Amino acid sequence: MISPIVFGALIDASGWQLPFALSCALLAAAAVVAWYMKPKRLTMTDGVLEIGVPKAEQHTA
């Protein structure tokens, strides 16, 4: 709700360059954060919640 108002105010105050540059910077920051994320995989097997690689898929040597 606030973002369109702030974006409009920035356009009125400075033209399109600053809001566009800020949008590009936010997208670039999101791409960097997404690259380093390590989500955990949740699997439900026989009523047991497993976090990580399920036992059925684990390879033992």
Side-chain angles (χ1 to χ4, degrees):
M1 292 296 246
I2 295 174
S3 178
I5 296 170
V6 171
F7 196 79
L10 284 173
I11 290 172
D12 285 342
S14 66
W16 281 96
Q17 268 188 323
L18 180 62
F20 185 72
L22 288 175
S23 296
C24 289
L26 282 173
L27 286 172
V32 169
V33 169
W35 183 262
Y36 287 103
M37 284 177 57
K38 296 190 185 298
K40 292 184 179 181
R41 182 174 169 189
L42 297 176
T43 307
M44 181 76 74
T45 306
D46 296 329
V48 177
L49 182 65
E50 297 180 41
I51 299 175
V53 179
K55 290 181 183 177
E57 294 181 15
Q58 290 179 357
H59 299 289
T60 56

